Amino acid sequence: MIHGARPKQARLRTCPNVLLSVIIFMTKAIVMFSGGLDSVLTAKVLMNEGIDVLGLTFITEFSAIDVPKFTEKIKKRAEAISLKLRIIDISQEFLGLLKDPFYGFGANINPCVDCKIYMLKRAKEIMEKEGYSFIATGEVVGERPMSQRRDTLYVIEKKAGLKGYLLRPLSAKLLNPTVPEETGLINREHLYAISGRSRKPQMELAEKFGISEYAQPAGGCLLTEPAFSSRLKDIIKHDMLNIDNIKLLKFGRHFRLDAKTRFVLGRDEKDNENVLSSAEKNDVILSPKDFNG
Ligand code: SF4
């Protein structure tokens, strides 16, 4: 594992004729950035400690109904705190996680534990290749019933191959010290002990950091929505899982005609446009000839 730090060169003028060069090693870290408040605060906590932070966002077709709009909002959130951002689309690879996730699904068709492990593994590859010292997430102990239980946080860290290198700054004081804390890359005393579902501590921290806009940008993961999940289960069951079909699940009314045929009915002009743009070349498009409807 690489524990790199990017050298930053500073020049100190000691007297008119002598220039002294000093190498300052700046710690580099990756923050898993969703644009939601917890990830914004996490990035801010690290940036305030003088760490060179890269925000890393993994996007999938399930991230929002309107993925391009959602992506723009995430970019704006990053810009608002002067965070460098990298966005990677993992829609195709993500489909494999939906077939038989090792840790199962949450209340809907959300394989949150497997999803986090997968994304962190991808982040770890970047960390090692590009010399980042550790990875941080905005996870808060006890905020979510399945994926943010204390024991699950440790499982995710271990399975992602990041034991000791995954920092959760908002709950760090409730968790085992990590390598960056133990080696002094970050001061544990400057981290937090937030837990539970209440958002009040995060809102207070946001106020302290001067962050005023922090609603989740454009909704949340569609895999946690019951109506979308039920449509998705149907196409998985009938072996029709692909990106174009997922796009179609976001619009219209849906009917299953037989094992091989799903009928999607546009309810308005916008639905119709979306249905048309998501249709594959083998799909059959029906439209009324002499009447509206
Ligand atoms: S809510 Fe969606 S994106 Fe978030 S961890 Fe769960 S499956 Fe992954």
Side-chain angles (χ1 to χ4, degrees):
M1 191 169 291
I2 297 164
H3 318 306
R6 194 173 70 180
K8 189 182 162 193
Q9 196 159 50
R11 290 187 155 186
L12 298 180
R13 193 175 284 280
T14 51
C15 79
N17 301 320
V18 181
L19 271 178
L20 190 64
S21 281
V22 178
I23 305 292
I24 300 169
F25 285 95
M26 203 171 176
T27 302
K28 289 169 57 177
I30 294 174
V31 166
M32 306 299 280
F33 191 76
S34 70
L37 179 57
D38 292 343
S39 68
V40 170
L41 292 174
T42 298
K44 275 298 274 183
V45 169
L46 299 195
M47 289 161 89
N48 287 353
E49 291 298 301
I51 292 172
D52 182 8
V53 179
L54 171 71
L56 183 60
T57 304
F58 289 113
I59 291 279
T60 74
E61 200 49 54
F62 305 109
S63 298
I65 297 278
D66 189 335
V67 176
K69 199 166 161 193
F70 174 71
T71 307
E72 282 313 305
K73 289 198 171 171
I74 290 183
K75 284 184 187 164
K76 285 206 177 105
R77 285 285 161 83
E79 271 167 33
I81 57 167
S82 305
L83 173 70
K84 276 179 290 178
L85 184 67
R86 189 179 305 174
I87 297 177
I88 302 176
D89 188 328
I90 54 164
S91 299
Q92 194 59 48
E93 304 93 300
F94 197 89
L95 299 186
L97 290 183
L98 293 171
K99 290 185 180 153
D100 187 20
F102 187 81
Y103 292 97
F105 294 109
N108 292 293
I109 198 163
N110 47 316
C112 291
V113 177
D114 293 83
C115 168
K116 288 183 178 203
I117 293 170
Y118 177 75
M119 289 185 185
L120 285 166
K121 278 184 177 171
R122 293 284 303 265
K124 180 179 177 243
E125 287 168 15
I126 296 172
M127 176 180 101
E128 293 182 336
K129 201 166 158 207
E130 300 181 22
Y132 289 89
S133 298
F134 63 95
I135 296 173
T137 70
E139 289 163 307
V140 167
V141 173
E143 192 176 72
R144 304 239 185 278
M146 180 173 88
S147 63
Q148 289 181 222
R149 279 194 339 232
R150 192 189 310 255
D151 56 335
T152 314
L153 293 181
Y154 289 129
V155 168
I156 291 170
E157 176 182 330
K158 190 169 168 221
K159 294 289 173 185
L162 283 167
K163 205 160 185 309
Y165 290 88
L166 184 54
L167 181 71
R168 279 93 172 197
L170 303 184
S171 289
K173 285 182 174 168
L174 303 172
L175 297 166
N176 296 337
T178 57
V179 172
E181 292 162 274
E182 286 173 335
T183 55
L185 291 180
I186 190 158
N187 188 340
R188 184 171 169 87
E189 287 314 304
H190 295 174
L191 304 178
Y192 296 85
I194 300 174
S195 68
R197 301 178 75 106
S198 163
R199 308 288 288 154
K200 206 167 158 232
Q202 286 95 316
M203 287 177 192
E204 285 168 2
L205 197 53
E207 200 178 328
K208 184 175 148 196
F209 290 154
I211 297 165
S212 53
E213 201 187 314
Y214 46 73
Q216 190 71 22
C221 176
L222 297 176
L223 299 172
T224 62
E225 290 185 5
F228 185 86
S229 292
S230 124
R231 290 178 176 188
L232 183 58
K233 276 181 197 160
D234 178 78
I235 65 164
I236 293 173
K237 184 175 159 200
H238 291 92
D239 204 15
M240 297 169 87
L241 187 63
N242 63 45
I243 301 293
D244 287 320
N245 284 342
I246 290 164
K247 286 182 182 164
L248 273 173
L249 295 186
K250 298 178 179 180
F251 311 102
R253 292 187 68 199
H254 288 240
F255 306 86
R256 172 145 304 278
L257 301 187
D258 61 37
K260 288 186 177 171
T261 320
R262 198 174 166 90
F263 182 77
V264 185
L265 178 68
R267 293 165 298 186
D268 52 32
E269 195 179 347
K270 191 157 186 288
D271 262 1
N272 290 341
E273 282 168 11
N274 285 315
V275 165
L276 274 178
S277 67
S278 304
E280 294 177 84
K281 70 173 188 307
N282 289 333
D283 289 340
V284 176
I285 314 268
L286 303 174
S287 55
K289 196 173 167 203
D290 299 319
F291 60 94
N292 291 328

